[in-house]
Amino acid sequence: MFIEKDLVAASATPLVLGILAEGESYGYAIIKRVNELSDGRMQWTDGMLYPLLHRLERAGCISASWHTAENGRRRKHYTITDAGRNMLAERAAQWTVVADALHRVWDSAVLPPAAEGWV
């Protein structure tokens, strides 16, 4: 399913913060988790994720540290901070308002039959 760029961008920060609220993670694992959470309908790339991680780190919402895996590969791991948890709570509240409004309008609107995998 194609998801418009605007929706991907708007959902990226709360998704990443939510994933990091589950526990420390690294880039590839975050991309894999988004794929799992969306049942494969959201395909993120490195080029989309890493600029977001860098912005969140600069804003103090996440912290990063280098770890060496058992195979010897170094990976940058990310952890949510208290500021990030506060931002996640704010974004969750905002998304709830938006989602409720959308569901109300969809319930009252005359829509064509939903495509496979829609709503």
Side-chain angles (χ1 to χ4, degrees), residues 16-71:
V16 168
L17 292 175
I19 290 166
L20 293 177
E22 296 174 342
E24 179 180 287
S25 194
Y26 58 95
Y28 175 75
I30 293 170
I31 290 171
K32 186 176 174 185
R33 183 72 176 128
V34 168
N35 189 40
E36 291 169 1
L37 290 168
S38 68
D39 295 323
R41 293 175 288 185
M42 292 177 74
Q43 301 292 322
W44 283 14
T45 64
D46 292 353
M48 186 241 143
L49 176 63
Y50 287 102
L52 173 60
L53 289 171
H54 296 150
R55 281 193 305 275
L56 289 171
E57 189 176 6
R58 282 191 308 271
C61 295
I62 63 174
S63 62
S65 58
W66 287 97
H67 296 262
T68 303
E70 290 179 14
N71 65 5

